[in-house]
Amino acid sequence: MLQALKNLWFRDPSETPVYINDIAVRIRAGMLLFIPLYMALTLWDAIYGTNWIVDGNSIVDTYETDWDGHTIYSAQVIKRTWEYTTQTWVLFYALFEMLAGMFVFTSRLSPTILIASLLAQRQAPVWKPLVPKRFAWSIGASFIVVCLVFFNPVPVAEFVNRIAGSAVLPETETFMPYWIPLVLVWVCLGFMWLEAILGFCVGCKVHALLVRMGVIKEACEACNNIDWDEIKRRHQARQHSSRPGET
């Protein structure tokens, strides 16, 4: 436990490149899985779950008909609207978690990293480089930013228009199509489920593909992922077995 409090999920915070315990990463992904699930259910209900409700007491006959001979009535029609303050704060926390895990210093500010590191102490660590995970979390952070824009169209539009000096975005309506955040949230939910349950990091695979294509320069993982403790243990075992008079 003291080791986890000192190093968190890092093999050695001072080494270069930095390696983290993939067991703790998967535990943390499972802990954060509720955020995209909560956002997905919120968006689904906001887009498809609310219906127009007609106030029967306000119905008035207009004494007019449409082209098909149907009588036209006027009435008050209401529909529930969402107030996304809670969702916004949850997204800001998720964005903080994505950014906090990218660096050694900021990782110490993340409660989920600390809890995941403590929970992972009972299992043998699986060391993976931080850089591909950082790339994966960057993808997650970009998804979160898109959702923040969707949930807060007015402040975003006001900010953009102030910077541009003209009315680039409408300030009275949502300018982003509903399907964009809805798709991204479900994609993010799928990515985190794969990470937590199957240990399959989609962002890491994309990073590896970009490395093979030469888009990203990255050192050889196999060359850097050397278990010096295991080498030392084997060396001591050979020295012990080679001593005369010992069996």
Side-chain angles (χ1 to χ4, degrees):
M1 182 177 295
L2 293 177
Q3 188 70 14
L5 293 174
K6 178 182 177 181
N7 294 333
L8 294 179
W9 57 10
F10 300 104
R11 184 171 66 183
D12 183 355
S14 61
E15 70 177 342
T16 304
V18 180
Y19 278 76
I20 58 179
N21 186 359
D22 193 57
I23 302 298
V25 172
R26 294 177 59 182
I27 294 174
R28 180 177 182 244
M31 295 169 60
L32 295 175
L33 193 62
F34 82 94
I35 295 179
L37 180 60
Y38 171 59
M39 292 301 162
L41 296 177
T42 297
L43 285 170
W44 188 267
D45 189 45
I47 297 172
Y48 302 108
T50 57
N51 300 315
W52 291 103
I53 301 174
V54 179
D55 184 0
N57 297 324
S58 66
I59 297 177
V60 177
D61 192 344
T62 64
Y63 301 101
E64 298 179 359
T65 58
D66 60 11
W67 290 101
D68 297 323
H70 299 143
T71 303
I72 300 176
Y73 294 89
S74 67
Q76 292 182 356
V77 183
I78 60 175
K79 185 177 183 181
R80 185 185 67 176
T81 58
W82 281 80
E83 201 278 323
Y84 297 116
T85 300
T86 301
Q87 286 78 6
T88 298
W89 283 111
V90 171
L91 285 173
F92 270 121
Y93 176 75
L95 182 61
F96 160 76
E97 286 288 350
M98 292 296 103
L99 298 177
M102 296 183 183
F103 307 98
V104 175
F105 174 76
T106 54
S107 294
R108 303 190 180 280
L109 305 177
S110 168
T112 59
I113 293 178
L114 174 60
I115 295 173
S117 301
L118 293 173
L119 295 177
Q121 288 299 297
R122 295 182 177 273
Q123 301 184 47
V126 178
W127 302 114
K128 296 291 183 66
L130 174 62
V131 174
K133 297 293 183 182
R134 185 182 293 162
F135 179 84
W137 295 331
S138 298
I139 297 176
S142 64
F143 288 178
I144 294 171
V145 171
V146 172
C147 290
L148 280 171
V149 172
F150 174 79
F151 285 133
N152 301 273
V154 175
V156 173
E158 291 176 348
F159 175 78
V160 172
N161 294 339
R162 190 180 302 112
I163 297 298
S166 60
V168 177
L169 297 175
E171 299 181 3
T172 57
E173 60 183 4
T174 301
F175 50 83
M176 182 182 296
Y178 287 105
W179 64 268
I180 294 179
L182 187 61
V183 170
L184 291 182
V185 164
W186 284 104
V187 169
C188 183
L189 179 62
F191 284 1
M192 294 187 69
W193 184 88
L194 289 172
E195 175 76 57
I197 306 301
L198 303 180
F200 183 85
C201 178
V202 177
C204 299
K205 300 302 181 183
V206 174
H207 180 271
L209 178 61
L210 294 177
V211 171
R212 293 192 187 98
M213 294 173 60
V215 178
I216 300 177
K217 301 295 184 181
E218 183 62 26
C220 172
E221 176 183 345
C223 301
N224 292 322
N225 194 16
I226 300 175
D227 192 342
W228 296 107
D229 293 334
E230 179 64 17
I231 293 176
K232 181 179 179 181
R233 186 191 66 78
R234 292 181 179 179
H235 178 68
Q236 291 176 344
R238 284 197 297 268
Q239 286 184 330
H240 180 76
S241 60
S242 63
R243 293 175 183 174
E246 294 184 1
T247 58

